């Protein structure tokens, strides 16, 4: 799907990613100036939506703001009304496909995690791989596993994600996979893509996120706009990285923060200042006052 570029001054929808776009590492809520700018857009008539890979329980601080209308969670797998968590749309990964994805990469020494409606269940090895990944400027990560755990409150450590899924009746909406090197990650991505059962987003250089086929942040925006009558052509969305790529063509204006990956900047319509300068706020202020 492709929509025309936003032309009206007040957007019909302000959709925003969280981590790396409006929330800095180590924080759980939006930057103060960003909060004020999005609330101002809401006061002028724009609807607002979180568009995040996070599970529902990790959205609580943002959800507490009364001007947040909609939650597009787990890369578009679940869409809810923020005020009462009424579900508008949900599509889990079929259980057989969850287990098949694990089998497909079992020989690649993966670190695995799954996200359900109830929470986040991660193998410690997945977190160990995450801290090996360099920062965007190429420097070593200045974090450890405990720091990452603080950034993911409510996460549960499991010895084996496949064993957890096999023994649980909960539906899985998103799978996380981390690998020992970028080359192995790329091999895993290729194997999963060849199965044609999944949507796959590359995160960083050693991780992929997996959702059901046809489910990503772009289709999540499509679903929301169709279900509640939002004009997509006058919507704006903000993002920074891999799981935001699929928003391209689904809103009138896609904006990359200045710290975004080169790949995301290449598909964005505009680039605003980085998160360190509260770029989302600057973009909205320049257009809405």
């Amino acid at each position: 799907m492709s929509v025309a570029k936003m032309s009206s001054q007040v957007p019909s929808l302000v959709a925003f990613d969280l981590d790396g776009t409006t929330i800095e590492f180590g924080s759980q809520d939006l930057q103060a100036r960003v909060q004020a700018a999005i609330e101002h857009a809401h006061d002028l008539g724009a609807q607002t939506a979180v568009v995040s890979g996070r599970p529902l329980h990790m959205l609580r601080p943002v959800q507490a703001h009364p001007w947040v209308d909609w939650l597009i969670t787990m890369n578009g797998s679940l869409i809810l009304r923020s005020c009462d968590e009424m579900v508008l749309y949900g599509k889990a990964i079929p259980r057989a496909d969850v287990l098949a994805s694990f089998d497909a990469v079992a020989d690649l020494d993966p670190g695995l995690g799954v996200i359900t409606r109830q929470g986040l269940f991660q193998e410690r090895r997945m977190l160990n791989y995450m801290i090996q990944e360099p920062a965007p400027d190429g420097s070593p990560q200045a974090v450890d596993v405990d720091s990452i755990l603080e950034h993911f409150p409510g996460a549960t450590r499991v010895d084996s994600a496949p064993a957890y899924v096999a023994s649980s009746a909960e539906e899985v909406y998103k799978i996380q996979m981390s690998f020992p090197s970028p080359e192995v990650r790329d091999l895993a991505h290729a194997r999963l893509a060849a199965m044609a059962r999944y949507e796959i987003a590359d995160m960083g250089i050693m991780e992929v996120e997996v959702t059901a086929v046809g489910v990503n942040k772009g289709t999540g925006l499509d679903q929301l706009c169709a279900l509640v009558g939002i004009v997509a052509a006058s919507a704006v969305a903000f993002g920074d990285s891999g799981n935001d790529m699929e928003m391209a063509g689904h809103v009138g204006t896609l904006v990359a923060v200045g710290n975004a990956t080169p790949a995301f900047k290449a598909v964005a319509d505009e680039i605003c200042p980085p998160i360190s300068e509260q770029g989302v706020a600057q973009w909205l202020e320049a257009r809405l006052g």
Side-chain angles (χ1 to χ4, degrees):
M1 176 183 175
S2 180
V3 299
K5 187 174 176 63
M6 187 181 85
S7 57
S8 60
Q9 184 181 21
V10 178
S12 58
L13 174 72
V14 176
F16 52 96
D17 173 53
L18 298 181
D19 298 293
T21 302
T22 57
I23 292 182
E24 297 175 286
F25 184 81
S27 178
Q28 294 303 319
D29 201 357
L30 305 172
Q31 298 166 304
R33 186 175 170 186
V34 171
Q35 290 184 36
I38 298 175
E39 183 176 12
H40 180 57
H42 189 263
D43 289 344
L44 292 175
Q47 296 195 53
T48 63
V50 172
V51 189
S52 177
R54 289 187 178 200
L56 182 59
H57 77 274
M58 287 181 62
L59 300 181
R60 301 299 186 211
V62 179
Q63 186 183 1
H65 298 297
W67 40 265
V68 174
D69 296 313
W70 309 103
L71 307 173
I72 300 175
T73 76
M74 296 175 279
N75 293 355
S77 296
L78 192 63
I79 304 174
L80 309 98
R81 187 165 60 190
S82 181
C83 63
D84 59 4
E85 297 185 8
M86 182 189 76
V87 175
L88 274 67
Y89 170 85
K91 185 175 181 180
I93 308 171
R95 184 167 301 273
D97 289 349
V98 175
L99 296 174
S101 75
F102 296 153
D103 289 341
V105 301
D107 63 322
L108 301 180
D109 200 25
L112 302 171
V114 295
I115 300 179
T116 72
R117 178 75 186 265
Q118 305 307 315
L120 173 61
F121 303 86
Q122 297 172 316
E123 298 173 353
R124 190 175 182 89
R125 180 166 51 182
M126 190 190 85
L127 301 174
N128 288 335
Y129 287 152
M130 288 175 69
I131 65 172
Q132 294 173 27
E133 189 172 317
D137 63 1
S139 63
Q141 288 272 31
V143 297
D144 55 23
V145 168
D146 290 335
S147 297
I148 291 179
L149 294 181
E150 290 178 4
H151 191 62
F152 295 110
T156 300
R157 242 46 60 204
V158 295
D159 292 331
S160 166
Y164 172 78
V165 171
S167 64
S168 172
E170 293 182 40
E171 291 186 308
V172 173
Y173 288 93
K174 191 176 85 168
I175 303 166
Q176 296 175 303
M177 298 181 174
S178 291
F179 297 92
S181 72
E183 294 76 19
V184 175
R185 190 282 305 270
D186 291 345
L187 176 58
H189 185 136
R191 287 184 184 179
L192 294 167
M195 297 170 73
R197 301 187 195 182
Y198 316 103
E199 296 291 324
I200 309 156
D202 291 333
M203 302 299 295
I205 61 172
M206 300 200 310
E207 181 184 358
V208 297
E209 294 182 343
V210 180
T211 49
V213 65
V215 172
N216 55 55
K217 288 189 177 185
T219 61
L221 287 167
D222 289 345
Q223 291 284 352
L224 176 63
C225 289
L227 289 168
V228 302
I230 294 170
V231 178
S234 58
V236 59
F238 299 89
D240 75 306
S241 64
N243 60 7
D244 300 318
M245 297 283 290
E246 295 300 331
M247 292 195 292
H250 295 266
V251 291
T253 304
L254 182 62
V255 183
V257 287
N259 53 286
T261 62
F264 185 67
K265 287 179 178 178
V267 302
D269 299 303
E270 298 184 26
I271 300 173
C272 69
I275 187 172
S276 61
E277 299 175 20
Q278 304 202 49
V280 170
Q282 291 196 48
W283 192 95
L284 290 169
E285 290 163 359
R287 286 151 184 81
L288 304 179

